[in-house]
Amino acid sequence: MVKVRKEGIILRPRNLAFEKEGVLNPACIKVGNEVHMFYRAVAKGNHSTIGYCKLEGPLKVVDRLNKPVFVPKYSYEKHGIEDARIVEIEGTYYLTYIGYDGKNVRIAYATSEDLVIFRKRGVILPDITYDNAEDHFRYCQLKERYYLFESYFKETVGKDALLWNKDAFFFPKKINGKFALVHRILPDIQVMYFKDFKDLTMQYWEKYLRTLDTHVVLESKHWYETRNIGGGCPPIETDKGWLMIYHAVDDMDRGKTYRAGAALLDKKNPNKVIGHLHEPLFSPDEKWECKGTVNRVVFPTGAAVFGKRLYIYYGAADKYIAAVSVNLKSLLDELVPDER
């Protein structure tokens, strides 16, 4: 396996009301020699907003705001704004996030031209309940675990629970002239393509769900992915293909353990998997990864390349933000062994 270097904690919660309970799961984008980080900040009662800090180089924090930059404004996000991701497409920054209303989650997004002023654009996909989604699932061939998760959310959230659709972000460039949105309907990772946001109607969504099995870009298959997988960092374009760093959940031992995995997708057709690590890229083994708000969690959400090394930023035990680094070529060689 490729050698991963743990760089340690780079951001801790401060004694400020909006982030006192934890900082985690940052959206990261590199501009020049700086990394702009939009991180989830958790206040008492598990109410989340998005904070901001800036790194000089891959690890040095040089600026950090004392108040959140994104706060709840609409009913669908009244209990929190969570787990942002960010990319730049054709000169516009697209920041996706999860709006939580205390019961259901929805994928929403905002745009910016300068990383300072953002405009919230609203929910990306229309509401659909698990009950309705199941009617459409029947038209395609999905593994049984899709229906197990349907039962789980209807029992724990309610019979009217909306489809639990999270971990959403865009590819940092259009694929064949279309936006490519990665998202996660449990237990796998899917990707949907569209030309314009106005195309994302209920009719589009229902048709998509009827063919959901054809939109799976990565599915859980290894021992560390026994429960599910979910999107992590926005895909990184390399000469070998699209590098996807994701999170994987194993629930076979001491409860749930979140690890980081890596896969390589075809450049022209991201639904084609070129390589998929059989072992985790990295796992929670440091004290601050194993014990926190949620134990045994590493949750990658942002990445940046500096020189020959890929830096991956992640939430540690839902309490801190930490980083690891890896030689990018070595990781790609591990994913495409026949080209060494």
Side-chain angles (χ1 to χ4, degrees):
M1 281 293 294
V2 63
K3 185 177 180 181
V4 174
R5 183 170 71 207
K6 293 205 170 178
E7 305 288 356
I9 297 172
I10 59 174
L11 217 63
R12 299 174 183 269
R14 297 170 294 179
N15 192 26
L16 298 173
F18 82 99
E19 64 174 41
K20 195 171 184 178
E21 298 300 312
V23 295
L24 60 152
N25 304 357
C28 302
I29 191 160
K30 182 186 177 190
V31 180
N33 194 50
E34 299 174 335
V35 176
H36 298 267
M37 182 177 287
F38 298 86
Y39 61 89
R40 179 177 171 185
V42 185
K44 187 176 180 180
N46 194 33
H47 288 265
S48 296
T49 56
I50 301 297
Y52 170 83
C53 76
K54 183 170 67 177
L55 309 183
E56 182 182 290
L59 300 171
K60 183 181 178 182
V61 178
V62 294
D63 189 20
R64 187 175 179 183
L65 298 185
N66 290 326
K67 61 181 181 180
V69 291
F70 283 88
V71 298
K73 180 179 179 181
Y74 302 106
S75 59
Y76 61 82
E77 58 188 17
K78 63 184 179 182
H79 196 90
I81 296 175
E82 304 178 356
D83 300 351
R85 314 291 209 279
I86 191 168
V87 299
E88 183 267 325
I89 305 172
E90 298 176 354
T92 298
Y93 296 100
Y94 291 82
L95 184 141
T96 47
Y97 64 92
I98 297 302
Y100 180 48
D101 65 8
K103 179 179 179 179
N104 289 297
V105 298
R106 294 170 176 86
I107 299 170
Y109 79 112
T111 60
S112 174
E113 305 301 321
D114 58 7
L115 293 175
V116 177
I117 298 173
F118 281 85
R119 179 182 174 186
K120 286 186 179 181
R121 300 287 185 170
V123 173
I124 290 179
L125 298 169
D127 292 350
I128 187 166
T129 65
Y130 258 110
D131 256 352
N132 289 336
E134 182 188 13
D135 294 338
H136 300 297
F137 287 169
R138 299 295 178 186
Y139 285 84
C140 59
Q141 296 182 350
L142 293 172
K143 64 181 71 170
E144 187 63 28
R145 290 190 70 83
Y146 281 88
Y147 300 101
L148 293 176
F149 280 112
E150 176 206 0
S151 298
Y152 170 80
F153 282 106
K154 285 164 70 174
E155 289 176 7
T156 58
V157 178
K159 291 184 177 180
D160 60 344
L162 297 182
L163 194 61
W164 202 259
N165 198 356
K166 297 186 73 176
D167 301 319
F169 46 82
F170 291 101
F171 274 73
K173 70 183 329 182
K174 292 182 179 179
I175 306 295
N176 298 321
K178 294 182 177 181
F179 288 100
L181 177 71
V182 177
H183 65 110
R184 195 281 310 278
I185 297 173
L186 288 157
D188 300 324
I189 301 172
Q190 301 86 22
V191 61
M192 58 197 312
Y193 302 94
F194 59 94
K195 284 190 175 182
D196 195 287
F197 286 88
K198 69 174 185 285
D199 297 334
L200 298 178
T201 62
M202 181 62 80
Q203 184 180 18
Y204 172 97
W205 186 225
E206 290 174 345
K207 182 179 178 181
Y208 178 83
L209 292 177
R210 291 186 179 204
T211 56
L212 187 62
D213 57 333
T214 67
H215 302 292
V216 173
V217 65
L218 197 68
E219 59 182 329
S220 49
K221 60 189 296 187
H222 300 311
W223 67 267
Y224 60 98
E225 305 166 340
T226 56
R227 185 181 188 271
N228 66 273
I229 59 175
C233 312
I236 301 152
E237 187 175 13
T238 76
D239 59 350
K240 303 292 185 184
W242 291 104
L243 175 62
M244 177 175 282
I245 307 298
Y246 63 95
H247 71 266
V249 187
D250 164 35
D251 60 359
M252 296 297 285
D253 189 8
R254 301 173 295 167
K256 290 190 288 189
T257 299
Y258 284 72
R259 299 179 175 90
L264 193 65
L265 312 177
D266 186 80
K267 250 186 179 182
K268 294 182 178 180
N269 177 19
N271 288 70
K272 179 182 177 182
V273 179
I274 298 172
H276 187 175
L277 291 187
H278 291 263
E279 297 292 328
L281 183 61
F282 62 98
S283 302
D285 48 35
E286 302 288 348
K287 180 179 179 180
W288 35 271
E289 298 167 333
C290 294
K291 189 170 183 179
T293 304
V294 181
N295 296 338
R296 301 184 302 278
V297 172
V298 295
F299 196 89
T301 51
V305 177
F306 284 85
K308 296 181 179 180
R309 297 193 72 79
L310 171 69
Y311 288 79
I312 302 168
Y313 306 94
Y314 64 98
D318 280 14
K319 186 76 175 181
Y320 311 103
I321 293 171
V324 302
S325 68
V326 60
N327 181 281
L328 181 56
K329 183 179 183 304
S330 296
L331 177 55
L332 294 175
D333 286 346
E334 191 79 26
L335 286 161
V336 195
D338 57 321
E339 292 190 15
R340 284 183 180 177

